[in-house]
Amino acid sequence: AYVADGCYDYMTLSADDHIRNLTRRGSVSSCFMARHIVHSELTHHDMLNEDCSVINSLLDGEIRIEPNSVVQHCHLQGSVHVSSGCLLSGVDLMSSAALCQYQLCDVIVQGHHIRLRDLKLKIFSITGRQDDLQVPCTNDSSTFLNIPWAEFFERTGIKKEAVWGPGILEDDQCLLNAQLFPVFHVTEPIGMEDVLWFLRAGRGQFLRKWQSAWRLSIREILSCLDQQAELAWRQQLFLSQAQRKVKSTLLARKDNSLWPLIRAAVCEGNEQQILNTLDAVATTTEDMGVAARTLACDA
């Protein structure tokens, strides 16, 4: 295939590069320039900056997203403020409540579906936009959450020897192999708040829970990813936003075509869910015009 005037970028480990690729406009195509909200349903469009990107997500409530930030594969609810330079990925509805207590800025928060033998878990990681995963912690430029490691240890009370075991040489200690992210605790559930507390100066119960939890590094998390569970989560999100979009389009008498959504649902084997949504609209609306259009889709 030949793409006239096309261009490409190599993917890197830089979160900054990844965010830039997902939010840039114009240089990609005029089509993408107008579609910074893709396969998503929102309740407050006016709270999104035009230079952010929302991909395959449901945003319920007063969710403000500042420029140069990305929300993808998330279901957020409540009052959430995502400042500039952030990437949120894989945040589910139950976990989104923890975000209401924080104003995120220049951080990457990711939910991961992992599998440890027969045990399936959903865990979270957090890093800074400027962090380099592979720079040794002994290097002056090495950071975690955009601050030097020494400052992070001082702020949280976490000890360096708890992050890297004796089997890792000091020159090899970096963010990629730092065992920072809780996976399992004997008596308490693990959630997003167990990594979000890194952003605050408070210690107390979160530090004690972190110390007694089983933790993994980013490298270990990547080796345990459950791709099947992750794909299922993304497909469920797409279906949920499609059902809401179908309902809102019909009830608000929007001019948007429903054919792409219906076709995508059929291709994924979810035609019955879409039909149920159409039936629900047709049987509850008092507007004959809406009912007629809905029945036409249902035919």
Side-chain angles (χ1 to χ4, degrees):
Y2 171 71
V3 180
D5 300 322
C7 63
Y8 62 89
D9 287 316
Y10 287 105
M11 293 187 67
T12 70
L13 291 176
S14 168
D16 202 25
D17 289 346
H18 190 54
I19 292 173
R20 189 181 303 111
N21 287 334
L22 290 173
T23 56
R24 64 183 177 178
R25 305 285 185 263
S27 60
V28 179
S29 71
S30 57
C31 176
F32 184 77
M33 185 176 180
R35 290 183 60 81
H36 68 287
I37 302 174
V38 183
H39 300 314
S40 299
E41 189 68 6
L42 302 78
T43 57
H44 292 72
H45 285 75
D46 57 327
M47 301 191 74
L48 269 61
N49 187 279
E50 62 180 10
D51 290 324
C52 74
S53 289
V54 181
I55 305 167
N56 191 38
S57 295
L58 284 169
L59 307 186
D60 298 326
E62 297 181 350
I63 298 169
R64 181 177 300 279
I65 304 178
E66 302 292 351
N68 303 316
S69 283
V70 180
V71 174
Q72 61 180 11
H73 315 307
C74 291
H75 188 173
L76 307 183
Q77 188 176 65
S79 180
V80 178
H81 188 181
V82 182
S83 295
S84 180
C86 293
L87 169 63
L88 269 63
S89 181
V91 180
D92 58 335
L93 180 60
M94 289 184 61
S95 303
S96 69
L99 292 174
C100 299
Q101 306 172 41
Y102 295 82
Q103 182 173 327
L104 304 178
C105 182
D106 289 332
V107 295
I108 317 301
V109 179
Q110 294 178 279
H112 308 275
H113 290 90
I114 66 170
R115 185 168 185 167
L116 305 171
R117 293 186 180 272
D118 296 328
L119 183 62
K120 296 184 177 182
L121 299 169
K122 177 71 176 284
I123 65 170
F124 292 90
S125 66
I126 185 170
T127 56
R129 181 173 64 90
Q130 302 293 347
D131 295 344
D132 190 314
L133 296 179
Q134 296 178 305
V135 172
C137 69
T138 53
N139 192 304
D140 291 340
S141 65
S142 182
T143 61
F144 178 48
L145 297 176
N146 308 308
I147 61 174
W149 282 100
E151 184 176 338
F152 169 74
F153 291 141
E154 175 64 27
R155 181 169 71 186
T156 60
I158 291 174
K159 303 298 183 182
K160 180 180 178 181
E161 52 269 24
V163 175
W164 294 284
I168 302 178
L169 298 176
E170 188 171 39
D171 290 342
D172 295 331
Q173 295 173 353
C174 60
L175 178 52
L176 188 62
N177 57 27
Q179 293 184 319
L180 285 160
F181 308 109
V183 174
F184 182 78
H185 192 278
V186 175
T187 60
E188 300 181 64
I190 295 293
M192 188 190 296
E193 64 274 11
D194 293 301
V195 297
L196 288 177
W197 77 275
F198 293 162
L199 299 171
R200 290 183 172 175
R203 304 178 183 181
Q205 62 176 1
F206 285 113
L207 175 59
R208 291 191 293 272
K209 184 178 177 182
W210 183 92
Q211 290 170 330
S212 57
W214 180 31
R215 306 181 303 276
L216 294 178
S217 66
I218 293 177
R219 173 176 285 162
E220 291 167 328
I221 290 172
L222 294 177
S223 69
C224 298
L225 290 179
D226 187 339
Q227 301 288 3
Q228 185 176 4
E230 180 61 29
L231 180 59
W233 160 250
R234 296 183 183 188
Q235 289 175 325
Q236 181 56 47
L237 263 181
F238 179 83
L239 176 61
S240 297
Q241 67 84 26
Q243 289 178 287
R244 291 198 189 188
K245 190 165 292 183
V246 166
K247 184 176 181 179
S248 64
T249 297
L250 291 170
L251 294 178
R253 291 174 163 266
K254 297 178 182 178
D255 293 332
N256 304 341
S257 173
L258 297 178
W259 169 240
L261 292 174
I262 295 174
R263 181 178 59 184
V266 171
C267 289
E268 293 291 338
N270 296 317
E271 62 275 6
Q272 189 58 53
Q273 290 90 324
I274 294 295
L275 287 173
N276 291 342
T277 301
L278 293 172
D279 289 346
V281 173
T283 56
T284 57
T285 183
E286 297 180 358
D287 188 314
M288 293 298 100
V290 171
R293 182 185 180 187
T294 304
L295 292 173
C297 295
D298 219 346

